[in-house]
């Protein structure tokens, strides 16, 4: 495992191009494009203001830089550095900006979600979509890039609009049976749209591409409901994480629950392995506490750690959320399927230091990783069943069915890993700190406990 | 004695009538007295004195003054004393009667008391019983009520918990609503501000896009106008996507169905086979026999059908038939297994009844049979293995192989023996020839010596008789002879060993002691008769050639023999 040197970045804006060749980072108001393997700077662009959002187009030829404060979007071309494009939303403001799947249209959501403006870079034409809903996930593109589903709120009722991305033709427009639609997501095969209600009501609706309601699923009433939803890459399963600390898996044939995965505080009676991160703290009066090492800042702050396998039963530390506050820190907030649909990684918010890995073939718990501090981010390798996670310290953790490993990021001055992204080839990881980034190249699979 | 009987009488009379016991008593007492008096002949004329003394004793024992004293000289009784005594006795008696009466009364009283007490006690016992029963009844009710109370308390607890939970839910929902409300209010405020700002702000910044140059579409095609055709095309594409997805899903499901159906069929077959195998073993299930017979026939039909065409099973009825038949078989198998289990458990506990013994015996028989089968199979497998090994190691049976090898050996031996014989023969021939040659050589040398001596004498003779003409012939003869020899040797250079040739070339005169070549020897041998005529020369030539040829042939044959033997050796070694 090799680590590159540390580069600057702002706002956690660091993205690899879809073809995997380039790495774009934003530093203040500059956009830096590097080659992924050599990390040499290929292009440097200057935007008009600090960039709030940056996105690659699907063909890796253009980069969009949105500055929400100024209501500006600037588009840069990789092939022609001289080419420029600026979209000014004017008084109407800008809240979000994104590419369309064909890489030639930009969808800007105005302030207060008044409308969505579709700008065409080919024809400079403009289209408007009215009454978009301001919710957790109001817009989703199908994986093949042909259709876009948009949540609409009109006359206190929720609707879903399905657009054909080719020419922005409104294909279907139907009302949903939700109280307050919180999000929608296409299945990976593009034929089913999952729509879920806000947390006040547990309701997940499944619509076919042509707008027919296929099924409704509601696990219980009154208590806080759905917190997160995720499709498996094979479109076979729909995982619903809710505030009752359970994940329910629906199958794509009958849309009925096939199992529910529970996250108890005491893990017992399971064949899963529980990995506990244990810090190897050097002794206080040891030789390592030399002046040199203190000044280097390595010994005190960069403590080595390793994983130990704990025998069952294991108690996971639970933090009870404040009952008076809204959006309590309880329930399954993150669900992630591995690329082969074999594993599902979940995080329960009141057991924030633990990541649970479930085996989808056996529908049982495979492993639990208990970290020393709250898990901030985890992501599956796009090519193989390998999970990378970080907890805001200087270490990177990797889990695979063979075992788990904790790797210290070897940087001076302590690089706190706050989020990570895999490269699409699965050969490298981009680690993002507060205002730094570092690349980690995996050359061989190192699995040791 | 009389008193006891009187007392008994009193008892009995008291039971009958309690009114006037005294009279009866008094009435009864006198006759008794009379009776007893009549009965006892206490005093007679002859024992008056004794009677008197006796009565005195008796009276004194009562504490009364004596009736008769010895003082009086007369035998006549003191009547006064007697009357007093009698009167005292009567008084005593009356007193006794009175006490008896009193005691009787007392006894009656106590009897009645006892009765009364008995009655009360029975009454109280009954009351006690009743109250005990009531008590248990009450206890029971109390217990039930307690249970009810507990259950109600539980219900109450549950309800409280639920209420609490609902309250929590309401609280969380309320906080969520509040949060949302606040968020919306904030947004609304922002919107109001912005609206105000916009109304105030005169210069409105319009939306604009500034592109250096238009870029082409991603797929390179030209964008189309939005027409009905395109809309229809979009619809069509959408439905196509959906249909293809359904198609693929249906295909997958069909495959899965087919596999599962196969598995079910297999299971059914297995179950049927197991159950039919068990049928002769299980006795006492005759009713099932009939049923299973019919069912098995049915199943056979089913199996037959399903093997023909799988499409038939796609209809609901066929599916139901299959599932029903599987359920039926499974139930039978289950019952059978349960029966076996119960039998086993019974056997383990030690109980053996007739019905149990029979299946167990059959079970054991089966076991034995199976064991035997297993043993047979094992033996068979072993035998097979052995045979296979033998096959691999040698092409045929061991005996035959040994025989064959023996045969080969014998053959070899024979051949070798023959060859040895021929070789021996040849060796002998060669020896003979060599001997002949050596003899011939020796003879030749002798003759030569003689000839030389003759020549020497002749030459001496000639020298002595010197003449110039006679010399020339002889050297030419000798020269011709030597020339002839040389030419001959040249002709046979190939055959003759070089040594001998050399020897011959060097000194035609001196004969080597080693065995000369056969050709030379023949020649020398033939030379002797050769001097006579030319034909023998040719003959010798022929002979020589033939000899050469013979020698060659011999040598060749020797080589051949050698080769053959070598080859044979090689063969045999292989």
């Amino acid at each position: 495992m090799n680590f590159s040197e540390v580069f600057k970045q702002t706002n956690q804006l660091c993205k690899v191009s879809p073809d995997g060749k380039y790495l774009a980072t934003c530093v203040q108001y500059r956009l830096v494009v590097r080659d992924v393997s050599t990390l040499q700077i290929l292009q440097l662009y200057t935007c008009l203001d600090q960039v709030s959002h940056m996105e690659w187009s699907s063909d890796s030829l253009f980069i969009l830089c949105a500055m929400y404060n100024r209501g500006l979007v600037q588009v840069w071309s990789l092939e022609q550095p001289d080419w420029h494009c600026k979209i000014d939303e004017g008084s109407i403001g800008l809240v979000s900006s994104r590419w369309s799947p064909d890489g030639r249209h930009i969808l800007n959501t105005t302030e207060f979600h008044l409308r969505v403006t579709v700008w065409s870079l080919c024809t400079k034409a403009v289209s408007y979509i009215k009454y978009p809903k301001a919710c957790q996930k109001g817009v989703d593109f199908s994986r093949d890039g042909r259709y876009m589903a948009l949540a609409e709120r009109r006359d206190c009722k929720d609707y879903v609009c399905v657009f054909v991305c080719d020419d922005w033709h409104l294909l279907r427009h139907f009302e949903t049976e939700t109280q307050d639609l919180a999000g929608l997501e296409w299945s990976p095969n593009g034929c089913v749209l999952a729509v879920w209600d806000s947390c006040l009501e547990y309701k997940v609706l499944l619509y076919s591409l042509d707008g027919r309601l296929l099924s409704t699923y509601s696990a219980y009433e009154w208590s806080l409901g759905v917190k997160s939803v995720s499709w498996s890459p094979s479109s076979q399963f729909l995982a619903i994480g809710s505030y009752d600390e359970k994940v329910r898996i629906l199958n794509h044939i009958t849309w009925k629950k096939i199992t529910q995965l529970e996250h108890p505080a005491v893990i017992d009676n399971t064949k899963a392995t529980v990995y506990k991160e244990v810090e190897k703290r050097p002794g206080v009066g040891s030789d390592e506490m030399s002046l040199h090492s203190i000044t280097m800042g390595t010994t005190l702050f960069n403590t080595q750690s390793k994983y130990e396998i704990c025998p069952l039963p294991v108690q996971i530390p639970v933090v009870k959320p404040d009952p008076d506050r809204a959006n309590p820190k309880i329930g399954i907030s993150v669900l992630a399927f591995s690329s082969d649909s074999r594993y599902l990684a979940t995080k329960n918010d009141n057991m924030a230091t633990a990541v649970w890995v479930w085996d989808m073939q056996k529908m049982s718990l495979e492993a639990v990783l208990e970290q020393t501090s709250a898990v901030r981010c985890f992501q599956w390798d796009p090519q193989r069943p390998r999970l990378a996670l970080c907890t805001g310290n200087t270490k990177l953790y990797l889990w695979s069915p063979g075992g788990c490993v904790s790797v210290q990021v070897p940087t001076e001055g302590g690089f706190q890993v706050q989020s990570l992204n895999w490269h699409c080839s699965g050969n490298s990881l981009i680690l993002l700190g507060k205002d730094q980034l570092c690349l980690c190249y995996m050359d061989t699979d190192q699995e040791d406990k | 004695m009389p008193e006891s009987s009187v007392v008994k009488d009193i008892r009995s009379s008291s039971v009958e009538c309690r009114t006037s016991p005294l009279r009866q008593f008094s009435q009864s007492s006198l006759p008794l007295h009379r009776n007893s008096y009549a009965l006892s002949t206490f005093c007679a004329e002859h024992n008056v004195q004794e009677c008197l003394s006796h009565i005195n004793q008796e009276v004194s024992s009562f504490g009364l003054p004596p009736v008769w004293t010895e003082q009086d000289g007369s035998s006549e009784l003191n009547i006064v004393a007697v009357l007093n005594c009698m009167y005292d006795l009567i008084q005593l008696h009356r007193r006794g009667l009175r006490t008896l009466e009193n005691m009787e009364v007392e006894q009656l009283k106590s009897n009645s008391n006892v009765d009364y007490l008995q009655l009360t006690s029975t009454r109280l016992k009954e009351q006690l019983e009743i109250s005990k029963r009531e008590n248990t009844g009450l206890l029971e009710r109390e217990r039930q009520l307690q249970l009810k109370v507990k259950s109600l308390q539980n219900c109450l607890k549950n309800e409280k918990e639920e209420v609490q939970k609902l309250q929590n839910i309401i609280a969380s929902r309320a906080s969520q609503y509040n949060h949302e409300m606040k968020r919306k209010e904030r947004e609304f405020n922002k919107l109001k501000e912005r609206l105000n700002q916009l109304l105030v702000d005169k210069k409105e910044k319009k939306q604009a896009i500034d592109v250096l140059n238009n870029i082409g579409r991603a797929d390179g095609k030209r964008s189309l106008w939005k027409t009905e055709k395109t809309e229809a095309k979009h619809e069509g594409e959408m439905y196509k996507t959906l249909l293809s997805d359904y198609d693929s899903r249906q295909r997958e499901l069909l495959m899965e169905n087919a596999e599962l159906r196969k598995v079910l069929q297999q299971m059914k077959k297995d179950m049927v086979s197991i159950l039919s195998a068990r049928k002769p073993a299980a006795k006492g299930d005759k009713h099932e026999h009939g049923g299973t017979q019919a069912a098995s026939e049915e199943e056979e039909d089913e199996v037959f059908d399903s093997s023909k065409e799988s499409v038939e099973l796609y209809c609901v009825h066929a599916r139901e038939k299959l599932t029903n038949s599987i359920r039926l078989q499974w139930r039978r198998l289950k019952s059978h297994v349960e029966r076996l289990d119960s039998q086993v458990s019974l056997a383990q506990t030690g109980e053996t009844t007739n019905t149990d013994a029979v299946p167990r015996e059959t079970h054991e028989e089966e076991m034995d049979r199976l064991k035997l089968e297993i043993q047979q199979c094992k033996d068979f497998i072993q035998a097979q293995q052995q045979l296979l090994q033998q096959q691999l190691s040698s092409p045929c049976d061991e005996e035959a192989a040994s025989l064959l090898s023996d045969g080969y050996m014998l053959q070899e031996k024979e051949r070798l023996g023959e060859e040895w014989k021929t070789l021996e023969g040849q060796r002998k021939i060669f020896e003979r020839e060599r001997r002949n040659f050596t003899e011939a050589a020796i003879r030749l040398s002798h003759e030569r010596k003689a000839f030389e001596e003759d020549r020497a004498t002749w030459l001496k003779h000639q020298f002595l008789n010197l003449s110039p003409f006679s010399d020339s012939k002889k050297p030419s003869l000798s020269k011709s002879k030597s020339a002839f020899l040389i030419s001959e040797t040249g002709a046979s250079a190939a055959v003759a060993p070089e040594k001998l040739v050399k020897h011959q070339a060097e000194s035609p005169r001196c004969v080597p002691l080693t065995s000369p070549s056969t050709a030379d020897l023949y020649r020398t041998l033939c030379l002797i008769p050769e001097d006579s005529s030319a034909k023998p020369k040719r003959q010798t030539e022929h002979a020589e050639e033939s000899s050469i040829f013979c020698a060659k042939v011999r040598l060749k044959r020797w080589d051949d023999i050698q080769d053959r033997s070598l080859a044979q050796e090689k063969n045999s070694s292989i």
Side-chain angles (χ1 to χ4, degrees):
Chain A
M1 219 177 278
N2 290 327
F3 287 89
S4 73
E5 57 183 61
V6 170
F7 301 106
K8 269 203 194 309
Q9 51 93 359
T10 47
N11 229 357
Q12 318 277 306
L13 289 171
C14 176
K15 302 230 171 93
V16 179
S17 64
D19 61 0
K21 290 196 223 156
Y22 311 106
L23 176 71
T25 45
C26 285
V27 186
Q28 294 290 325
Y29 49 91
R30 268 201 280 265
L31 175 69
V32 181
V33 179
R34 291 171 201 273
D35 181 86
V36 155
S37 36
T38 62
L39 291 178
Q40 269 190 333
I41 297 181
L42 297 171
Q43 301 279 6
L44 194 63
Y45 307 98
T46 310
C47 300
L48 295 167
D49 197 0
Q50 189 164 34
V51 178
S52 324
H53 175 71
M54 185 261 290
E55 197 177 321
W56 280 92
S57 68
S58 54
D59 52 5
S60 307
L61 294 175
F62 299 96
I63 304 176
L64 169 158
C65 294
M67 290 145 270
Y68 296 150
N69 300 339
R70 292 271 296 265
L72 286 172
V73 176
Q74 278 186 288
V75 187
W76 303 102
S77 160
L78 223 59
E79 288 178 324
Q80 304 173 352
D82 304 327
W83 187 86
H84 64 265
C85 168
K86 185 174 80 167
I87 299 171
D88 190 0
E89 286 291 336
S91 329
I92 206 157
L94 185 64
V95 153
S96 97
S97 175
R98 70 186 83 217
W99 280 104
S100 71
D102 63 357
R104 295 291 178 271
H105 294 86
I106 292 176
L107 286 93
N108 285 343
T109 314
T110 65
E111 217 170 341
F112 310 112
H113 282 77
L114 287 176
R115 62 169 185 238
V116 171
T117 323
V118 184
W119 297 94
S120 163
L121 296 177
C122 314
T123 63
K124 287 203 270 197
V126 184
S127 319
Y128 297 105
I129 303 173
K130 282 205 287 189
Y131 310 113
K133 181 149 190 202
C135 54
Q136 188 190 12
K137 190 170 178 186
V139 178
D140 192 37
F141 294 101
S142 64
R143 205 160 285 197
D144 53 5
R146 283 205 282 180
Y147 303 103
M148 175 178 90
L150 181 93
E152 192 185 78
R153 182 93 180 171
R154 207 196 280 246
D155 301 327
C156 306
K157 283 202 275 244
D158 289 314
Y159 297 89
V160 168
C161 307
V162 179
F163 290 95
V164 180
C165 294
D166 230 6
D167 54 2
W168 304 106
H169 158 65
L170 178 66
L171 189 68
R172 285 285 185 278
H173 181 259
F174 50 90
E175 189 183 339
T176 62
E177 293 169 15
T178 50
Q179 291 287 336
D180 184 12
L181 199 155
L184 39 78
E185 190 166 325
W186 287 104
S187 68
N189 64 3
C191 297
V192 181
L193 183 69
V195 168
W196 60 94
D197 214 333
S198 74
C199 58
L200 289 167
E201 179 151 351
Y202 193 129
K203 203 186 240 183
V204 176
L205 298 153
L206 291 137
Y207 289 94
S208 147
L209 176 59
D210 57 344
R212 289 173 298 126
L213 174 65
L214 294 171
S215 175
T216 311
Y217 178 72
S218 173
Y220 51 81
E221 279 190 309
W222 308 124
S223 296
L224 291 180
V226 176
K227 196 160 186 184
S228 58
V229 172
S230 174
W231 283 97
S232 79
S234 58
S235 307
Q236 275 181 309
F237 303 117
L238 180 66
I240 305 170
S242 46
Y243 280 88
D244 66 346
E245 306 179 58
K246 295 195 188 113
V247 176
R248 291 173 178 84
I249 312 275
L250 307 186
N251 75 86
H252 71 306
I253 299 176
T254 61
W255 301 114
K256 297 248 185 303
K257 175 182 87 169
I258 47 178
T259 185
Q260 69 186 35
L261 311 175
E262 308 202 359
H263 298 71
V266 177
I267 302 172
D268 203 354
N269 195 23
T270 168
K271 291 194 186 138
T273 9
V274 179
Y275 296 99
K276 195 180 161 97
E277 190 197 356
V278 164
E279 282 193 358
K280 296 189 271 195
R281 214 163 261 145
V284 176
S286 70
D287 300 325
E288 294 176 53
M289 290 282 284
S290 63
L291 191 64
H292 171 75
S293 55
I294 288 173
T295 50
M296 289 300 284
T298 47
T299 325
L300 281 172
F301 301 111
N302 301 357
T303 48
Q304 292 286 320
S305 77
K306 64 178 171 81
Y307 279 107
E308 266 181 10
I309 297 181
C310 292
L312 299 173
V314 175
Q315 178 105 16
I316 309 270
V318 175
V319 175
K320 276 202 101 159
D322 189 354
D324 295 331
R325 302 223 23 203
N327 297 323
K329 285 217 181 311
I330 185 170
I332 314 297
S333 59
V334 189
L335 292 166
F337 275 98
S338 65
S339 53
D340 55 359
S341 300
R342 176 82 196 267
Y343 297 102
L344 172 67
T346 64
K347 181 181 147 196
N348 189 357
D349 275 349
N350 61 348
M351 301 168 192
T353 56
V355 173
W356 306 64
V357 182
W358 305 84
D359 183 334
M360 277 295 115
Q361 279 187 353
K362 299 178 214 155
M363 291 289 170
S364 65
L365 187 60
E366 173 83 13
V368 177
L369 279 78
E370 196 189 318
Q371 309 294 126
T372 49
S373 40
V375 174
R376 285 191 68 115
C377 172
F378 57 83
Q379 207 179 79
W380 285 100
D381 183 330
Q383 300 294 334
R384 53 191 75 85
R386 182 161 59 171
L387 184 71
L389 58 124
C390 64
T391 64
N393 55 13
T394 58
K395 296 188 201 63
L396 168 69
Y397 306 94
L398 289 161
W399 176 89
S400 82
C404 335
V405 73
S406 142
V407 182
Q408 178 87 356
V409 178
T411 55
E412 295 174 12
F415 173 75
Q416 313 260 338
V417 183
Q418 296 197 337
S419 76
L420 46 83
N421 276 315
W422 280 97
H423 185 270
C424 51
S425 69
N427 290 336
S428 53
L429 260 174
I430 297 140
L431 308 170
L432 297 169
K434 198 159 88 88
D435 49 9
Q436 287 172 321
L437 88 100
C438 170
L439 254 86
C440 165
Y441 297 96
M442 318 264 171
D443 30 25
T444 49
D445 285 317
Q446 299 173 12
E447 306 305 338
D448 62 280
K449 297 192 185 126
Chain B
M1 281 178 290
E3 273 122 26
S4 64
S5 57
V6 168
V7 169
K8 268 192 218 152
D9 224 14
I10 288 167
R11 276 263 166 88
S12 59
S13 64
S14 72
V15 169
E16 290 159 0
C17 159
R18 290 183 191 175
T19 46
S20 58
L22 274 167
R23 217 182 287 152
Q24 274 189 340
F25 170 52
S26 56
Q27 276 178 357
S28 63
S29 61
L30 282 167
L32 276 169
H33 268 287
R34 248 187 267 127
N35 278 342
S36 60
Y37 196 70
L39 278 168
S40 62
T41 52
F42 173 64
C43 186
E45 285 185 3
H46 58 280
N47 59 355
V48 170
Q49 283 296 106
E50 283 106 27
C51 291
L52 272 169
S53 57
H54 183 72
I55 282 172
N56 254 354
Q57 275 178 352
E58 296 270 333
V59 161
S60 56
S61 75
F62 278 125
L64 296 170
V67 170
W68 183 71
T69 49
E70 280 281 328
Q71 283 177 0
D72 297 357
S74 59
S75 58
E76 289 175 4
L77 286 169
N78 193 352
I79 296 183
V80 173
V82 169
L83 284 171
N84 280 338
C85 188
M86 274 180 71
Y87 180 74
D88 288 331
L89 283 170
I90 287 165
Q91 288 298 328
L92 271 171
H93 182 68
R94 278 198 198 273
R95 224 181 292 147
L97 283 175
R98 239 182 281 136
T99 45
L100 201 65
E101 216 179 277
N102 288 340
M103 281 178 73
E104 217 180 66
V105 166
E106 290 290 330
Q107 200 193 22
L108 278 172
K109 271 193 208 166
S110 63
N111 275 347
S112 68
N113 272 346
V114 161
D115 286 336
Y116 177 69
L117 286 170
Q118 269 182 348
L119 276 170
T120 47
S121 84
T122 49
R123 194 165 33 90
L124 287 171
K125 270 191 192 148
E126 277 169 23
Q127 273 188 350
L128 185 67
E129 276 298 317
I130 289 166
S131 57
K132 266 191 190 162
R133 250 180 268 133
E134 266 178 40
N135 193 28
T136 49
L138 287 170
L139 277 172
E140 184 64 35
R141 250 187 55 200
E142 195 191 323
R143 195 179 58 83
Q144 280 177 354
L145 287 171
Q146 286 247 0
L147 281 172
K148 225 186 196 178
V149 161
K150 255 192 220 145
S151 67
L152 285 172
Q153 275 178 341
N154 274 342
C155 280
L156 182 68
K157 206 167 65 163
N158 290 341
E159 290 297 315
K160 274 195 184 150
E161 275 175 16
E162 233 184 273
V163 163
Q164 191 63 39
K165 214 170 58 167
L166 286 170
Q167 278 180 341
N168 286 342
I169 287 169
I170 289 170
S172 66
R173 286 179 82 88
S175 62
Q176 199 76 26
Y177 283 130
N178 289 337
H179 175 81
E180 295 278 313
M181 279 285 287
K182 281 195 191 124
R183 199 162 54 90
K184 288 213 177 348
E185 205 178 319
R186 261 181 253 130
E187 205 166 318
F188 187 54
N189 285 334
K190 264 202 289 186
L191 196 63
K192 274 199 282 191
E193 273 179 36
R194 174 55 79 88
L195 190 63
N196 276 331
Q197 191 195 14
L198 283 172
L199 287 171
V200 163
D201 215 358
K202 286 300 165 188
K203 51 179 171 134
E204 195 180 304
K205 285 188 281 171
K206 279 220 154 129
Q207 282 181 315
I209 179 165
D210 169 29
V211 188
L212 183 66
N213 51 0
N214 290 353
I215 46 176
R217 276 163 61 96
D219 48 2
K221 287 192 233 159
R222 247 195 274 173
S223 56
L224 304 160
W225 291 108
K226 266 197 214 179
T227 56
E228 272 174 15
K229 225 166 74 170
T230 55
E231 285 176 21
K233 196 172 70 153
H234 288 312
E235 289 273 320
E237 272 178 26
M238 176 188 82
Y239 282 121
K240 234 189 281 180
T241 324
L242 276 174
L243 278 170
S244 60
D245 177 60
Y246 280 131
D247 247 342
S248 60
R249 226 197 285 172
Q250 201 210 10
R251 244 178 287 133
E252 276 174 26
L253 287 170
L254 274 174
M255 259 180 11
E256 216 179 299
N257 260 1
E259 269 180 44
L260 288 170
R261 214 177 281 122
K262 249 189 279 174
V263 168
L264 279 175
Q265 296 275 13
Q266 189 60 42
M267 269 174 64
K268 201 178 73 165
K269 265 187 233 163
D270 288 339
M271 282 198 276
V272 165
S273 63
I274 289 170
L275 286 170
S276 58
R278 283 268 153 222
K279 258 196 274 171
K283 293 183 187 173
D285 297 329
K286 289 210 177 115
H287 62 282
E288 262 192 13
H289 265 271
T292 48
Q293 278 286 343
S296 65
E297 282 165 11
E298 222 183 63
E299 286 145 20
E300 277 168 22
D301 289 338
E302 268 183 27
V303 164
F304 218 40
D305 280 344
S306 62
S307 62
K308 274 185 206 166
E309 191 60 60
S310 58
V311 180
E312 286 174 17
L313 289 175
Y314 288 163
C315 76
V316 181
H317 302 296
R319 205 171 55 230
E320 274 175 13
K321 223 164 71 165
L322 177 63
T323 49
N324 285 338
S325 68
I326 287 213
R327 269 199 215 111
L328 186 69
Q329 295 299 329
W330 180 247
R331 241 181 283 138
R332 279 201 209 119
L333 194 69
K334 208 167 67 165
S335 66
H336 185 73
V337 168
E338 277 166 10
R339 222 178 325 122
L340 283 174
D341 269 343
S342 62
Q343 281 172 12
V344 165
S345 61
L346 280 173
Q348 278 177 355
T349 54
E351 287 177 51
T352 49
T353 62
N354 275 336
T355 52
D356 288 342
V358 168
R360 195 165 58 123
E361 273 172 20
T362 53
H363 178 69
E364 278 173 7
E365 271 174 48
E366 278 262 2
M367 290 268 291
D368 293 332
R369 194 169 49 81
L370 287 170
K371 277 185 191 153
L372 196 66
E373 242 185 82
I374 287 168
Q375 194 56 39
Q376 280 174 356
C377 289
K378 274 189 189 161
D379 293 336
F380 190 59
I381 288 167
Q382 264 187 350
Q384 290 256 351
Q385 266 188 343
Q386 271 183 353
L387 286 169
L388 196 67
Q389 269 184 351
Q390 280 165 19
Q391 281 281 338
L392 286 171
S393 62
S394 63
C396 44
D397 223 14
E398 269 192 17
E399 284 181 358
S402 64
L403 274 170
L404 271 174
S405 62
D406 284 345
Y408 278 136
M409 289 283 284
L410 280 168
Q411 220 181 5
E412 284 272 346
K413 265 189 200 162
E414 266 175 50
R415 222 181 321 122
L416 284 170
E418 276 174 19
E419 279 168 18
W420 190 253
K421 274 184 211 149
T422 50
L423 286 171
E424 277 286 332
Q426 279 170 9
R427 196 163 61 84
K428 280 188 190 134
I429 290 166
F430 280 133
E431 282 289 312
R432 225 184 314 120
E433 279 177 5
R434 208 196 320 155
R435 254 183 279 123
N436 290 341
F437 291 145
T438 47
E439 280 169 16
I442 291 163
R443 250 188 289 125
L444 190 67
S445 68
H446 282 315
E447 281 173 7
R448 212 167 250 184
K449 218 188 338 182
F451 180 67
E452 287 294 318
E453 279 172 8
D454 281 341
R455 222 182 77 169
T457 49
W458 194 80
L459 275 172
K460 223 186 344 183
H461 205 57
Q462 277 287 43
F463 190 63
L464 286 170
N465 319 332
L466 245 176
S467 73
F469 297 104
S470 56
D471 283 317
S472 58
K473 277 188 197 171
K474 279 180 196 146
S476 64
L477 246 172
S478 69
K479 272 187 197 170
S480 69
K481 216 202 288 187
S482 66
F484 183 73
L485 270 171
I486 288 165
S487 70
E488 289 304 319
T489 52
S492 67
V495 181
E498 269 183 276
K499 202 171 41 173
L500 293 166
V501 171
K502 276 191 192 157
H503 270 280
Q504 289 290 9
E506 283 167 14
S507 50
R509 289 196 191 139
C510 66
V511 180
L513 284 167
T514 55
S515 60
S517 73
T518 48
D520 290 24
L521 284 170
Y522 262 98
R523 236 181 294 116
T524 50
L525 274 172
C526 299
L527 265 169
I528 298 155
E530 174 234 321
D531 287 324
S532 54
S533 62
K535 270 191 192 176
K537 264 190 202 173
R538 246 179 268 130
Q539 274 178 5
T540 55
E541 277 183 20
H542 267 289
E544 276 163 6
E545 280 177 10
S546 67
S547 78
I548 290 163
F549 181 73
C550 278
K552 274 192 195 170
V553 165
R554 276 247 176 90
L555 282 169
K556 197 162 164 237
R557 244 182 59 192
W558 177 251
D559 285 335
D560 282 343
I561 288 163
Q562 276 189 337
D563 286 335
R564 214 163 13 119
S565 67
L566 273 170
Q568 275 172 354
E569 274 169 22
K570 274 189 201 160
N571 280 339
S572 62
S573 73
I574 289 167

